[in-house]
Amino acid sequence: MFFENKKIFKTILKTEKMKEQTNILNYIPVDELTGSISVPIYQTSTFVQEAPGIHKGFDYARSNNPTRKVLEDLVAKLENGTNGYAFSSGLAAIDAVVKLLKSGDEIIAVDDIYGGAFRLFTHIYEKFGISVNYVDATDAQNIADAITPKTALIWIESPTNPTLKISDIRAIAKIAKAHGVLLCVDNTFASPVAQKPIDFGADLIVHSATKYISGHSDLIAGLVITATQELGDKIKFIQNASGAILGPFDSWLVIRGIETLSLRIKQHAENAQKIAEYLITEKLIKNVYYPGLKTHRNHEIAKSQQKYFGGVVTFDLLVDDKELASQIVSNTKLFKLAESLGGVKSLCCLPCEMTHKSIPQEKRYAAGVTDSLIRLSVGLEDADDLIDDLKQAIQTAVFKTNVLEEAVLEN
Ligand SMILES: Cc1ncc(COP(=O)(O)O)c(C=O)c1O
């Protein structure tokens, strides 16, 4: 009897050290009512009550839905947060965080911000008296210097979209705490498998779950995760009051995507590293941006806060020629020309004409998003096949335009 108990005790200790992929699968509950191993989709708008106000914790599906709740609890655990909330898009999640502020407040945001967040801050929230100061967050001192008594929120992405700049989350969190300012990290590009900003002192995390978290380019979704119950209650209030919730079927799809998140992120990063290493050998390319390259200017910081370097690789051309870049992204066969990223199938895009079109040209150039910058979302195809695809796309573009041949000859 004594020995049996000892065995059980050991088993419990071991489960505490489980690997992330095991944890993810273990966090997803088996349905208590039926034993269903797949989370049931509660496709309902309302819940029958025993007596007025007496119910099983669910009254109206905007306020709460059991399928969405499984997703929300799961992502809170994945990010080491207290609470998680699922929204109808990444932008709706960003919007919910900004709604924590009031007129007169200021935001300090990373200059290389996702174009949609820039549009939301500038064209919606500036009208309501919230101003935004964009700074190069790769140097935490720039953030410290930009803080004023009105600063209420620091907004960073790390890695950024699309030039993959890295900010030191620990250093920025210290600055935020010292000034009593909230720090929100858009963790879309890293995913919780690669980076957990709450562990470094962030107060809030947002995700476009459209990307790696769901992982199959088949839905639009957003998440907010909070570091404290108090912030969680505020986001919950905003989610219910504004109503941009994620529906039950999409919540279920996101849960299903998360089941393979850890495996996918590992493979995305392995493929992306090989592709980045090929691209630096390509003489027609000027810069390759990938945090996993030792030549990346923030490689050491990336290494200190990321377990994997992600699946996005960006590069620009020796000649800043939009037509040539446009030819390259049109010539790829495996890399499909489309906005978005983080899916199992590889995508490529020309940010200046697509994802970052809403950012004024000088602002775009200041952040390194030139007309010839190409963003790759490296999927789960074989890396060698993807490299062959890029080689043929570049060669065909050069042949069609002649531009780079001349430039290379000059060099
Ligand atoms: C870093 C980042 N944050 C947020 C968003 C917005 O997410 P969604 O398209 O799901 O609204 C995107 C979309 O591309 C993004 O790249």
Side-chain angles (χ1 to χ4, degrees), residues 47-59:
F47 301 84
V48 176
Q49 309 194 5
E50 261 174 56
I54 310 292
H55 52 71
K56 298 180 168 71
F58 299 93
D59 51 4

Side-chain angles (χ1 to χ4, degrees), residues 17-320:
K17 288 189 205 144
M18 287 189 306
K19 296 275 188 298
E20 183 127 51
Q21 178 61 34
T22 319
N23 271 332
I24 290 174
L25 296 174
N26 196 40
Y27 288 154
I28 301 170
V30 170
D31 180 43
E32 277 182 18
L33 204 63
T34 63
S36 168
I37 192 135
S38 169
V39 174
I41 302 170
Y42 284 90
Q43 192 68 48
T44 185
S45 60
T46 193
F47 301 84
V48 176
Q49 309 194 5
E50 261 174 56
I54 310 292
H55 52 71
K56 298 180 168 71
F58 299 93
D59 51 4
Y60 185 61
R62 173 168 27 77
S63 314
N64 216 341
N65 172 288
T67 315
R68 196 176 86 222
K69 176 101 176 60
V70 169
L71 169 64
E72 294 179 333
D73 291 348
L74 175 61
V75 295
K77 282 186 182 139
L78 278 183
E79 285 285 17
N80 291 339
T82 53
N83 303 55
Y85 298 100
F87 292 84
S88 54
S89 70
L91 265 173
I94 295 172
D95 184 66
V97 173
V98 182
K99 281 183 175 139
L100 291 168
L101 308 190
K102 59 181 188 323
S103 179
D105 284 347
E106 288 175 3
I107 302 173
I108 298 172
V110 56
D111 56 358
D112 190 17
I113 194 167
Y114 162 62
F118 175 84
R119 185 177 51 206
L120 177 74
F121 291 172
T122 311
H123 297 294
I124 307 278
Y125 281 104
E126 285 198 356
K127 269 195 321 209
F128 293 105
I130 293 173
S131 58
V132 190
N133 186 0
Y134 295 93
V135 304
D136 177 357
T138 56
D139 182 352
Q141 190 56 42
N142 291 338
I143 291 195
D145 293 346
I147 289 186
T148 75
K150 290 182 177 172
T151 308
L153 176 66
I154 297 170
W155 189 278
I156 59 168
E157 291 172 29
S158 188
T160 58
N161 177 13
T163 59
L164 305 167
K165 287 186 194 158
I166 304 289
S167 302
D168 184 340
I169 301 174
R170 290 183 185 90
I172 296 171
K174 262 192 199 149
I175 295 166
K177 292 254 166 340
H179 291 85
V181 171
L182 292 175
L183 170 63
C184 181
V185 179
D186 183 332
N187 203 26
T188 300
F189 269 50
S191 93
V193 169
Q195 174 173 278
K196 297 189 195 295
I198 286 176
D199 289 356
F200 306 138
D203 301 291
L204 297 131
I205 294 171
V206 300
H207 278 281
S208 168
T210 312
K211 313 291 170 9
Y212 290 106
I213 292 215
S214 61
H216 293 75
S217 305
D218 52 9
L219 59 91
I220 301 284
L223 301 165
V224 177
I225 296 102
T226 64
T228 63
Q229 182 65 42
E230 191 192 345
L231 271 174
D233 291 344
K234 287 182 184 169
I235 295 290
K236 169 84 192 164
F237 179 83
I238 292 166
Q239 184 194 41
N240 187 45
S242 293
I245 46 136
L246 191 65
F249 182 61
D250 283 353
S251 296
W252 180 83
L253 274 175
V254 179
I255 296 167
R256 196 175 64 159
I258 291 174
E259 289 183 343
T260 54
L261 182 63
S262 169
L263 300 170
R264 284 187 286 108
I265 292 295
K266 199 170 165 211
Q267 195 58 45
H268 280 297
E270 207 176 296
N271 283 1
Q273 183 78 32
K274 284 189 188 160
I275 286 170
E277 281 167 12
Y278 146 66
L279 289 171
I280 47 175
T281 68
E282 188 48 87
K283 57 181 180 294
L284 308 179
I285 289 172
K286 189 173 167 196
N287 301 297
V288 180
Y289 304 100
Y290 184 65
L293 290 176
K294 290 203 174 73
T295 50
H296 187 286
R297 70 181 173 119
N298 312 118
H299 175 68
E300 288 306 317
I301 296 173
K303 237 169 64 179
S304 75
Q305 59 193 22
Q306 288 181 228
K307 191 168 160 201
Y308 301 104
F309 296 112
V312 176
V313 181
T314 309
F315 62 95
D316 59 14
L317 305 176
L318 209 54
V319 187
D320 188 25

Side-chain angles (χ1 to χ4, degrees), residues 338-394:
E339 295 197 6
S340 202
L341 57 108
V344 292
K345 294 175 189 158
S346 290
L347 302 178
C348 62
C349 87
L350 192 63
C352 71
E353 280 296 320
M354 298 166 77
T355 50
H356 286 60
K357 207 177 162 84
S358 58
I359 300 189
Q361 197 188 34
E362 330 104 62
K363 257 198 162 47
R364 198 164 44 73
Y365 264 78
V369 187
T370 61
D371 282 353
S372 69
L373 189 90
I374 292 173
R375 187 183 77 187
L376 303 176
S377 169
V378 178
L380 303 185
E381 301 88 346
D382 188 276
D384 293 337
D385 294 331
L386 292 173
I387 290 170
D388 285 347
D389 190 28
L390 290 170
K391 279 184 185 161
Q392 70 76 25
I394 292 169

